[in-house]
Amino acid sequence: MVSRVAFRTCPLCEAVCGLRLRIDDGVVTEVRGDRDDPLSRGYICPKGASLGRLDADPDRLDAPLLRTGDSHERAGWDEAFDAVARGLRPIIDRHGHDAVAVYLGNPSAHSIAGPLYGAAVIKALRTRNVYTASTADQMPKHVSSGHLFGDPTAIPVPDLDRTDHLLMFGANPLESNGSLCSAPDFPGRLRAIRARGGTVTVVDPRRTRTADLADEHVFIRPGGDAFLLAALAQVLFAEDLVAPPAALADRVNGLDDVRALVRDLTPERVAGVTGVAPAVTRRMARALAAAPRAAVYGRLGTTTQAFGTLSSWLVDVLNIVTGNLDRPGGAMFPRAAHLPVYRRRQPFAPGRWRSRVRDLPEAMGELPVATLADEIETPGEGRVRALVTIGGNPALSAPNAARLDRALAGLDFMVSVDPYLNETTRHAHVVLPPPRPAQTPHYDLALLNFTVRDYARYSPAAVPLPEGRPSEAAILARLAVIASGLDATPDDLDEMIIASTLGKAAAAPGSPVHGRDPVELRKLLAEEPVDSLTEQRIDMMLRLGPYGDGFGADPAGLTLARLRDDHPHGIDLGALKPRLDEVLSTASGRIELCPPALAADAARLHAVLDASPAEPGLVLIGRRHLRSNNSWLHNVPELVGGSNTCTLQLSPDDAERIGVRPGDPVRVTGRAGSVEAVAEPTDRLMPGVVSLPHGWGHDRPGTRTAVANRNAGVSVNALTDEREIDPLSGTAVFNGVPVTVEPARTGRRV
Ligand SMILES: Nc1nc2c(c(=O)[nH]1)N[C@H]1C(S)=C(S)[C@@H](COP(=O)(O)OP(=O)(O)OC[C@H]3O[C@@H](n4cnc5c(=O)[nH]c(N)nc54)[C@H](O)[C@@H]3O)O[C@H]1N2
Ligand SMILES: Nc1nc2c(c(=O)[nH]1)N[C@H]1C(S)=C(S)[C@@H](COP(=O)(O)OP(=O)(O)OC[C@H]3O[C@@H](n4cnc5c(=O)[nH]c(N)nc54)[C@H](O)[C@@H]3O)O[C@H]1N2
Ligand code: SF4
Ligand SMILES: [Mo]
């Protein structure tokens, strides 16, 4: 037996933990936290610990599948790519580029392949029908940052390790391990805030395990955040607690406009909507102002709701007006090693095109996934007839996913890059499975822009790819070539991107290679001891980045080979540093604190407050479990069952009123449909609020996920309403969904 140890970054969530794998004869037999990783320092969660089981999952596809009728059969790689060309090309030729839609799911943000080659697939398709999980997730934060800072990817993260006060809205890192804030051992970092005398406040309609760990938990009615955040700002202005530091004084436009905008949104006025007592709101505002260093942080509970962009914006308004933006212990912009700092972006300008059926604006090149079913089902010029999915399961993850599931069945052609035959990919005519995690190299292109310290880590594949098996990067590159219709090879594609990047870098004032010859730079890249053009691209990015060697300009700087060979556990590049100047991309060169689009949308807050109070019905929110990962880890036996099951949580008061006891089956009905689940009364839920986790509903015919099929649960997105979106970002409303709950009449125990 050949036994060895390999190190790699965990690809399963945003915490980017370092893992130490024991590999016996090519099989991962043990997974531990990598104690030498400077960021994660040995931390690991149950998901990371099960990476070996996931890697060896017998249901993981090891060859492409082709669909005939309702069944899928194994095929060779060339045969599968030929089938893709035969499926896609005629649709593009006959109906135009927009007839093919693409959907990129969450795992495509946790790989090298997704960010580097997913973009190439989109570009090659030349379609406006681009959809991703972002419009079921964080798009409001991008839109808010786009307006505030000019750059939708400039999202400040709470400086967890140095703050004195953390005010969290709609985030539950004890289960999620953090999001838009990559912080391995988030729980430990929260405890450390308290241990050094700081405080943590959690605002959530559910008393989560994160709330248990905080100094204070404040219940809020789902969807109430923008009101509460505005009221906090109102108190700060009214009590003269606004203190942007001198450093920001001449960097902010619109301070008075925000003051005027929130003037009427007093704690008293919003209390009916938020459920938060005015005295509590005032105390929170004063605590925020009094803390020497504080950070306000909002996550999924604040984005996937009716006021997603307003909430995301007001979170940063508070960070700015309390002087905590861009300073240690506040909310700071990480500086990723692979992202250039010399490049000025065009100021953010959403709405460059609109969706065909519902006339919804594009943001960051994407349309809302909430309208994908409309685009597939509605006849006429420009109808979506084919779909490419890459690491996504929208048949479970999208709002009113039951409708989207039906729409997928009606497509003329669908190809999925995915390791499983699941609820979405069962509709695909061709399934192209990426290799196992152990066979896949890793660098977190998407997430290293959100780490709480500047940090980089490269993990080569732990186990070699079998002969003839393409990497996911190679699969996507080949798809891009097919989609482009050009007579080119995947290598040509990489060469084009390298040439274009080097050309721009050489021309950009302030770049470390300004004025140099791109041909010479290309030669230098080729001389590096790296394995592939993909690695050369990452090498290029690192060398042009803020910690890079600048192609020799800073001989001690990073290259991919150095990162890989000298820092196999990753490299700590220091605490976050103030860098607003590098980030600001607005036309004015200043922070636009009161962007017109946001100010206009704020009218909706007044409309709600002016309306007569609605009959208080039940509303639904989501729930994540430490051992879950959206829809796709339910096939690992160690991760399902116990407390990780698909129950309907509700407050004991509501349970009594409805007449259900623990374990009773209940029927939950939303606008889009209804499901049956087991009731789990718990005083962790605010009265009037019920909670179902997402990602369940694995009972569909044609899927091949044996463990998940046995632990099916029900799909919460059979209840959610694709018509309800946050207007500025098009993001789905998953929190605050009106539902009714009644004892299930069937008497069937589910
Ligand atoms: N174990 C596990 N980890 C994960 C995932 C997973 O599925 N499982 N998914 C990953 C992904 S894709 C993401 S995006 C992140 C998400 O990371 P988080 O945002 O930390 O995740 P959630 O657990 O969904 O936390 C959202 C919280 O918002 C609360 N909430 C609901 N509605 C409202 C509201 O209107 N206002 C407020 N203030 N709070 C509200 C919910 O009760 C919940 O506690 O997690 C990632 N990590
Ligand atoms: N009601 C409700 N709905 C939600 C949410 C919620 O909180 N409530 N959360 C939303 C959020 S935050 C998100 S991010 C979305 C997620 O939505 P999606 O991204 O659509 O769904 P996932 O469940 O993450 O599906 C991941 C897919 O990728 C595949 N996969 C796994 N590893 C790989 C890989 O290495 N390569 C490739 N190509 N594929 C891989 C899996 O088999 C699976 O099919 O769901 C959203 N939907
Ligand atoms: S916290 Fe996230 S990154 Fe760390 S081991 Fe768990 S799943 Fe992996
Ligand atoms: Mo997400």
Side-chain angles (χ1 to χ4, degrees):
M1 187 169 76
V2 186
S3 185
R4 60 194 181 81
V5 166
F7 297 94
R8 71 157 289 150
T9 302
C10 178
L12 297 179
C13 90
E14 297 178 43
V16 303
C17 299
L19 302 180
R20 179 187 188 277
L21 313 179
R22 203 176 99 195
I23 296 173
D24 295 319
D25 287 336
V27 176
V28 180
T29 50
E30 185 189 78
V31 184
R32 295 191 172 189
D34 178 1
R35 270 177 300 183
D36 297 320
D37 182 300
L39 193 65
S40 65
R41 294 179 300 212
Y43 182 80
I44 187 170
C45 85
K47 284 193 290 186
S50 76
L51 193 76
R53 290 301 297 257
L54 180 69
D55 206 70
D57 186 342
D59 286 332
R60 183 176 272 278
L61 303 175
D62 62 0
L65 299 179
L66 296 186
R67 190 182 109 191
T68 353
D70 285 339
S71 69
H72 283 87
E73 301 296 334
R74 283 167 68 98
W77 283 95
D78 286 333
E79 193 188 345
F81 283 114
D82 285 347
V84 175
R86 275 199 315 278
L88 280 187
R89 293 303 325 164
I91 293 175
I92 299 174
D93 293 342
R94 208 167 310 143
H95 302 288
H97 294 285
D98 293 339
V100 183
V102 50
Y103 176 85
L104 263 71
N106 175 273
S108 61
H110 294 258
S111 69
I112 291 175
L116 286 190
Y117 297 91
V121 172
I122 292 171
K123 208 162 173 194
L125 283 169
R126 289 162 59 198
T127 176
R128 294 182 159 195
N129 279 302
V130 177
Y131 302 85
T132 82
S134 293
T135 52
D137 187 349
Q138 84 288 359
M139 187 58 92
K141 195 73 200 173
H142 290 305
V143 171
S144 154
S145 277
H147 286 295
L148 275 166
F149 310 120
D151 177 356
T153 64
I155 295 176
V157 306
D159 186 5
L160 290 186
D161 298 347
R162 291 184 288 183
T163 198
D164 301 306
H165 179 57
L166 180 67
L167 176 53
M168 301 168 77
F169 289 81
N172 188 10
L174 263 83
E175 310 288 350
S176 72
N177 277 300
S179 181
L180 294 183
C181 175
S182 288
D185 192 14
F186 209 124
R189 291 175 199 265
L190 290 180
R191 284 187 203 101
I193 296 175
R194 299 191 61 195
R196 62 177 180 262
T199 48
V200 177
T201 300
V202 169
V203 182
D204 198 303
R206 185 166 160 257
R207 198 177 68 249
T208 58
R209 290 204 298 129
T210 306
D212 288 343
L213 185 151
D215 296 85
E216 182 171 16
H217 167 234
V218 177
F219 273 129
I220 186 168
R221 282 201 208 295
D225 301 84
F227 299 88
L228 179 60
L229 288 157
L232 291 169
Q234 193 276 339
V235 175
L236 294 175
F237 282 112
E239 300 190 2
D240 215 7
L241 298 172
V242 168
L248 287 187
D250 58 348
R251 313 302 309 276
V252 179
N253 283 342
L255 192 63
D256 290 338
D257 298 328
V258 172
R259 184 198 310 269
L261 198 101
V262 300
R263 185 169 292 134
D264 298 339
L265 298 170
T266 59
E268 288 72 17
R269 180 116 200 276
V270 303
V273 174
T274 61
V276 179
V280 173
T281 309
R282 291 215 153 73
R283 181 156 46 74
M284 286 167 71
R286 289 168 192 153
L288 179 63
R293 300 172 297 183
V296 188
Y297 167 62
R299 204 45 281 274
L300 202 72
T302 63
T303 54
T304 51
Q305 53 136 299
F307 301 97
T309 307
L310 282 174
S311 305
S312 299
W313 166 59
L314 288 163
V315 161
D316 285 330
V317 165
L318 290 183
N319 280 321
I320 294 163
V321 302
T322 54
N324 284 302
L325 184 79
D326 199 39
R327 82 162 177 205
M332 303 190 76
F333 301 100
R335 187 192 265 140
H338 62 283
L339 296 178
V341 292
Y342 53 83
R343 207 186 57 197
R344 274 287 153 268
R345 283 182 162 256
Q346 287 298 321
F348 177 64
R352 291 165 297 172
W353 64 87
R354 304 185 75 91
S355 70
R356 177 180 66 107
V357 180
R358 277 162 65 185
D359 196 37
L360 301 173
E362 151 283 339
M364 294 180 87
E366 299 182 20
L367 292 170
V369 70
T371 195
L372 178 54
D374 301 311
E375 296 294 332
I376 297 172
E377 287 175 348
T378 313
E381 177 86 21
R383 174 182 186 171
V384 168
R385 292 159 193 274
L387 176 67
V388 180
T389 73
I390 302 171
N393 196 359
L396 289 183
S397 64
N400 194 356
R403 176 181 170 204
L404 184 58
D405 187 39
R406 290 191 298 274
L408 297 182
L411 285 165
D412 293 348
F413 183 73
M414 177 168 159
V415 49
S416 293
V417 181
D418 202 290
Y420 286 106
L421 189 62
N422 63 16
E423 298 74 18
T424 294
T425 61
R426 71 192 177 118
H427 297 296
H429 298 84
V430 183
V431 184
L432 305 168
R436 292 152 41 191
Q439 297 165 330
T440 305
H442 197 82
Y443 179 92
D444 263 299
L445 289 152
L447 301 176
L448 293 183
N449 201 22
F450 303 108
T451 43
V452 289
R453 292 178 67 84
D454 288 350
Y455 161 87
R457 177 168 177 149
Y458 182 74
S459 327
V463 172
L465 269 180
E467 192 62 34
R469 180 87 197 242
S471 67
E472 182 161 15
I475 295 171
L476 297 186
R478 197 143 162 204
L479 270 185
V481 166
I482 293 171
S484 73
L486 297 173
D487 184 18
T489 66
D491 285 1
D492 296 337
L493 191 123
D494 283 315
E495 289 293 355
M496 260 160 50
I497 294 168
I498 290 173
S500 143
T501 308
L502 291 177
K504 282 186 202 150
S511 115
V513 296
H514 182 227
R516 287 174 68 180
D517 174 10
V519 177
E520 177 230 333
L521 299 175
R522 179 70 194 89
K523 282 205 193 98
L524 289 175
L525 266 190
E527 285 166 12
E528 284 294 298
V530 302
D531 286 343
S532 61
L533 282 168
T534 307
E535 287 197 342
Q536 286 190 22
R537 283 180 62 187
I538 300 171
D539 185 40
M540 169 180 73
M541 295 169 85
L542 286 170
R543 298 173 80 179
L544 293 174
Y547 299 102
D549 86 332
F551 286 78
D554 174 5
L558 277 184
T559 66
L560 181 61
R562 258 180 226 148
L563 182 60
R564 181 192 62 198
D565 301 340
D566 301 348
H567 308 280
H569 308 284
I571 182 171
D572 178 35
L573 298 164
L576 303 181
K577 307 154 192 65
R579 57 179 297 252
L580 189 63
D581 281 337
E582 286 174 0
V583 165
L584 274 183
S585 306
T586 50
S588 61
R590 293 165 157 233
I591 296 172
E592 292 296 347
L593 196 63
C594 194
L598 275 304
D601 197 35
R604 285 194 299 133
L605 300 178
H606 291 281
V608 168
L609 294 171
D610 293 344
S612 45
E615 202 57 29
L618 291 175
V619 290
L620 176 74
I621 61 169
R623 189 163 89 233
R624 275 173 167 73
H625 190 284
L626 183 62
R627 284 183 280 117
S628 72
N629 203 12
N630 297 330
S631 74
W632 70 279
L633 285 192
H634 296 145
N635 211 49
V636 178
E638 284 78 2
L639 297 180
V640 282
S643 55
N644 187 16
T645 46
C646 188
T647 56
L648 182 87
Q649 292 188 343
L650 73 176
S651 76
D653 287 359
D654 288 323
E656 197 181 311
R657 189 173 47 75
I658 297 162
V660 294
R661 291 180 318 270
D664 281 354
V666 286
R667 173 153 289 277
V668 191
T669 305
R671 204 276 302 168
S674 68
V675 297
E676 271 185 32
V678 167
E680 184 189 349
T682 161
D683 65 5
R684 288 183 171 274
L685 262 279
M686 191 177 184
V689 182
V690 303
S691 166
L692 262 181
H694 75 289
W696 297 87
H698 305 296
D699 52 357
R700 316 268 162 92
T703 56
R704 242 180 253 169
T705 50
V707 179
N709 296 149
R710 283 197 298 276
N711 298 275
V714 292
S715 171
V716 66
N717 285 324
L719 308 175
T720 54
D721 189 342
E722 81 283 21
R723 298 183 312 196
E724 297 293 331
I725 55 171
D726 166 52
L728 286 182
S729 67
T731 301
V733 175
F734 293 136
N735 292 310
V737 176
V739 291
T740 57
V741 178
E742 59 195 330
R745 283 185 227 290
T746 58
R748 185 165 67 95
R749 304 288 298 195
V750 281

